[in-house]
């Protein structure tokens, strides 16, 4: 079996039956990275101690100790999630070489489940972007076509999984950063319900929107990682106490009979690329063939989503990024003559262009005189967007939409035009604004061989239903 294509479940079997050792598995990924990541640039850092950890896992196995679900399996982590002993840079010069003194709860949970943290993946600086071109350390490229972007901001994680550099990775999703790169790279990406997964140790972008989630090769793998990382954490006051079912133990694929899918009318507009529209109709017919129904629904405030998102997200980001001042963390400018200059030069030299743009925008919408006109109004419209979903879920169980309006675009195609770039998130931001869970799963390729992903959005805490539906479609499509 090609370890670069295997699922977590397959790897578990191979390891448990000793057909392969953890050291062999790790060596496979390390070799793939050294051969191809010079071109793709999915990783910002590879863990030098990974091989040692793999040896330990093999020793445990040979002593006959029972394995945990991820024992000896390497997993990659987006570089805005804190790890011990490896840098956490957020792809920013301001955190270049920064090593966190503590680790994120999700990382601790992965390690407790036996995972080896293989490395830290590239992203748009501070997760601000949709193409990974905003990384201060250079862009990631799409493994399906290296002239094209892998999406963003978790582009490194999605590219690493798609290229066979690791079987699974963590991403973060504030407005689409797990789902859009998953769609562009032909892999699965799950954004959980807000509060489902601890954000402790995730470098905050927009705290009311951020969630961590898995990027994997298959739906069941996403369920497995999700089961491991989900659940209450006393270090994150927004994490909820609801018990976490073992999503990985469900029956996959599930029976879809009687399930009602809604296609939101507003997501089918002229902006959507032909191959994406075709994929949506094809999958709708497939759903009906599986005994479920598909009907049109309306989410009338959809079109306000991007405006609302870019007000709220930038407002929260401007507050969250105030901590990078040259005193507490990372980079400090050496040119200053006084404290004010220390702050100014550190931030001026340490932050990239998109980060500065968003801090300025966010500070503006929060400033007196504009707060009510922009920020407060955006909060009100956010409630309307949320209510749209609540109403739709009175009629249907799940919503089916494109993940993105377009196919993976060329490097440089949108980087000069922030508005164009922002519109890439038109179908993903609303799930974050409403706090809802959503998955992107691959449904095929365009004639040029570019991956296409569709999104399923569900009611809060209905990840089980989303995963089951996506698994059934994944199976039917294969
Ligand atoms: N692309 C969106 C943005 O630039 C979403 C980013 C994210 O989810 N982190 O804000």
């Amino acid at each position: 079996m090609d370890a670069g294509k295997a699922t977590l479940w397959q790897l578990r079997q191979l390891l448990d039956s000793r057909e392969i050792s953890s050291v062999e598995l790790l060596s496979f990924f390390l070799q793939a990275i050294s051969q191809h990541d010079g071109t793709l640039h999915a990783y910002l850092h590879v863990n030098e101690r990974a091989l040692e950890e793999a040896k330990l896992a093999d020793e445990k196995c040979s002593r006959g100790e029972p394995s945990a679900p991820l024992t000896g399996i390497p997993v990659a982590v987006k570089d805005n999630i804190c790890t011990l002993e490896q840098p956490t840079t957020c792809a920013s010069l301001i955190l270049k070489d920064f090593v966190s003194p503590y680790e994120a709860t999700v990382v601790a949970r992965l390690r407790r489940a036996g995972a080896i943290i293989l490395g830290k993946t590239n992203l748009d600086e501070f997760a601000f972007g949709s193409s990974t071109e905003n990384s201060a350390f250079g862009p990631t490229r799409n493994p399906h076509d290296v002239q094209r972007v892998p999406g963003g901001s978790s582009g490194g994680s999605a590219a690493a999984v798609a290229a066979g550099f690791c079987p699974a990775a963590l991403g973060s999703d504030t407005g689409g950063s797990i789902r859009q790169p998953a769609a562009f790279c032909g892999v699965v990406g799950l954004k959980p319900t807000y509060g489902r997964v601890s954000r402790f140790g995730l470098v905050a972008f927009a705290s009311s929107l951020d969630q961590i989630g898995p990027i994997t090769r298959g739906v069941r793998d996403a369920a497995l990682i999700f089961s491991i990382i989900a659940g209450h954490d006393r270090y994150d006051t927004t994490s909820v106490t609801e018990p976490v079912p073992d999503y990985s133990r469900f029956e996959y694929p599930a029976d879809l009979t009687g399930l009602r899918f809604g296609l939101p009318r507003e997501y089918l507009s002229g902006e959507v690329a032909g191959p994406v529209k075709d994929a949506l109709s094809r999958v709708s017919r497939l759903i009906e063939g599986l005994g479920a129904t598909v009907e049109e629904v309306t989410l009338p405030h959809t079109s306000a989503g991007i405006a609302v998102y870019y007000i709220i997200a930038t407002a929260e980001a401007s507050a969250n990024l105030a901590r990078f001042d040259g005193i507490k963390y990372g980079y400090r400018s050496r040119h200053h003559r006084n404290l004010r200059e220390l702050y100014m030069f550190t931030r001026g030299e340490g932050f990239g262009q998109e980060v500065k743009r968003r801090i300025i925008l966010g500070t503006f919408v929060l400033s007196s005189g504009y707060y009510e006109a922009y920020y407060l109004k955006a909060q009100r419209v956010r409630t309307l967007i949320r209510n749209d979903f609540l109403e739709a879920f009175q009629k249907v169980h799940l919503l089916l939409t494109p993940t993105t309006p377009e196919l993976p675009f060329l490097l440089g195609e949108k980087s000069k035009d922030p508005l164009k770039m922002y519109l890439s998130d038109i179908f993903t931001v609303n799930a974050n604004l409403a706090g809802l869970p959503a998955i992107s799963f691959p449904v095929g390729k365009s004639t040029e061989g570019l991956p296409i992903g569709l999104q399923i959005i569900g009611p809060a805490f209905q990840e089980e239903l989303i995963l089951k539906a996506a698994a059934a479609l994944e199976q039917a499509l294969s």
Side-chain angles (χ1 to χ4, degrees):
M1 177 178 297
D2 178 358
K5 296 206 171 91
T7 65
L8 292 171
W9 293 88
Q10 291 166 330
L11 292 176
R12 178 79 271 131
Q13 267 181 343
L14 292 174
L15 286 163
D16 284 347
S17 62
R18 311 252 199 126
E19 278 168 71
I20 187 173
S21 70
S22 177
V23 167
E24 283 167 345
L25 186 61
L26 196 86
S27 310
F28 172 90
F29 290 124
L30 290 176
Q31 204 189 341
I33 293 167
S34 79
Q35 273 177 356
H36 304 294
D37 205 34
T39 312
L40 294 183
H41 198 216
Y43 282 93
L44 291 177
H45 180 84
V46 176
N47 181 4
E48 305 88 23
R49 294 201 47 240
L51 210 51
E52 234 169 276
E53 292 177 36
K55 277 186 196 139
L56 288 177
D58 285 337
E59 280 165 24
K60 267 192 191 165
C61 179
S62 54
R63 283 197 300 269
E65 287 179 33
S67 59
L70 299 178
T71 300
I73 297 182
V75 174
V77 173
K78 185 177 181 179
D79 204 24
N80 60 349
I81 299 174
C82 291
T83 43
L84 295 167
E85 293 167 6
Q86 297 189 60
T88 298
T89 69
C90 294
S92 180
L93 291 178
I94 215 160
L95 285 177
K96 187 172 175 281
D97 305 322
F98 172 72
V99 180
S100 168
Y102 63 90
E103 69 182 347
T105 298
V106 289
V107 173
R109 289 186 181 175
L110 283 179
R111 293 203 305 117
R112 212 181 308 141
I116 297 168
I117 306 303
L118 175 50
K120 304 299 290 289
T121 56
N122 202 4
L123 64 152
D124 288 294
E125 184 174 0
F126 284 102
F128 297 178
S130 312
S131 68
T132 318
E133 290 167 294
N134 295 336
S135 167
F137 308 119
T140 300
R141 290 168 183 270
N142 192 316
H144 295 271
D145 176 350
V146 296
Q147 304 306 325
R148 293 178 188 270
V149 303
S153 64
S154 315
S157 288
V161 173
F165 295 165
C166 60
L170 292 184
S172 67
D173 191 313
T174 305
S177 277
I178 289 175
R179 291 160 286 158
Q180 185 254 22
F184 276 13
C185 291
V187 293
V188 173
L190 173 71
K191 182 204 91 77
T193 307
Y194 184 78
R196 200 26 143 175
V197 175
S198 167
R199 294 181 294 112
F200 179 74
L202 168 67
V203 178
F205 164 2
S207 308
S208 78
L209 303 162
D210 299 339
Q211 269 291 284
I212 295 171
I215 297 180
T216 55
R217 282 202 255 284
V219 176
R220 263 189 91 194
D221 282 359
L224 176 61
I225 299 281
F226 178 51
S227 288
I228 292 167
I229 62 173
H232 181 247
D233 175 19
R234 66 192 177 95
Y235 295 126
D236 175 0
T237 51
T238 62
S239 79
V240 297
T241 49
E242 248 162 273
V244 181
D246 186 351
Y247 300 95
S248 67
R249 297 274 160 230
F250 296 140
E251 244 178 68
Y252 294 106
D255 183 5
L256 295 192
T257 317
L259 211 61
R260 300 172 70 139
F261 284 83
L263 289 184
R265 181 181 312 149
E266 295 76 8
Y267 286 55
L268 308 172
S269 67
E271 326 288 84
V272 182
V276 179
K277 272 192 190 154
D278 295 345
L280 192 66
S281 335
R282 191 159 43 85
V283 173
S284 302
R285 284 196 301 276
L286 191 68
I287 288 175
E288 288 170 334
L290 292 170
T293 59
V294 181
E295 61 200 270
E296 212 173 87
V297 293
T298 172
L299 299 168
H301 299 92
T302 296
S303 63
I306 286 288
V308 169
Y309 171 81
Y310 277 95
I311 290 171
I312 293 174
T314 56
E316 293 184 17
S318 73
N320 276 326
L321 268 59
R323 73 193 61 168
F324 302 104
D325 56 7
I327 306 286
K328 304 185 200 71
Y329 311 90
Y331 177 73
R332 176 181 299 172
S333 170
R334 271 178 289 176
H335 312 308
H336 62 278
R337 284 163 304 182
N338 53 46
L339 185 64
R340 191 182 153 77
E341 281 190 4
L342 168 74
Y343 291 147
M344 274 178 25
F345 296 161
T346 295
R347 289 166 70 81
E349 293 157 24
F351 286 142
Q353 212 193 359
E354 180 63 20
V355 175
K356 288 177 189 160
R357 177 183 293 123
R358 294 199 188 194
I359 292 174
I360 292 169
L361 200 62
T363 307
F364 172 75
V365 298
L366 287 176
S367 57
S368 79
Y370 298 99
Y371 178 84
E372 293 195 0
Y374 294 105
Y375 184 74
L376 218 58
K377 195 187 263 176
Q379 291 291 12
R380 294 203 183 101
V381 182
R382 181 179 187 172
T383 305
L384 297 176
I385 289 171
R386 195 166 157 271
N387 291 345
D388 280 357
F389 282 108
L390 294 180
E391 220 159 285
F393 288 130
Q394 300 285 328
K395 282 179 68 190
V396 295
H397 298 108
L398 294 169
L399 297 168
L400 178 72
T401 80
T403 308
T404 70
E406 72 232 320
L407 296 171
F409 46 88
L410 294 166
L411 268 98
E413 193 179 323
K414 301 192 187 204
S415 44
K416 300 266 151 7
D417 185 345
L419 271 184
K420 245 194 192 164
M421 189 71 91
Y422 295 174
L423 286 170
S424 184
D425 305 313
I426 191 159
F427 298 146
T428 48
V429 292
N430 287 348
N432 302 74
L433 289 168
L436 302 175
I439 199 169
S440 178
F441 62 105
V443 297
K445 286 184 174 172
S446 70
T447 42
E448 320 100 280
L450 298 173
I452 302 170
L454 292 185
Q455 173 176 236
I456 295 176
I457 308 174
F461 302 106
Q462 296 285 322
E463 281 90 353
E464 174 180 348
L465 194 60
I466 292 182
L467 288 162
K468 282 183 167 176
L473 295 173
E474 175 182 65
Q475 160 103 357
L477 285 161
S478 70

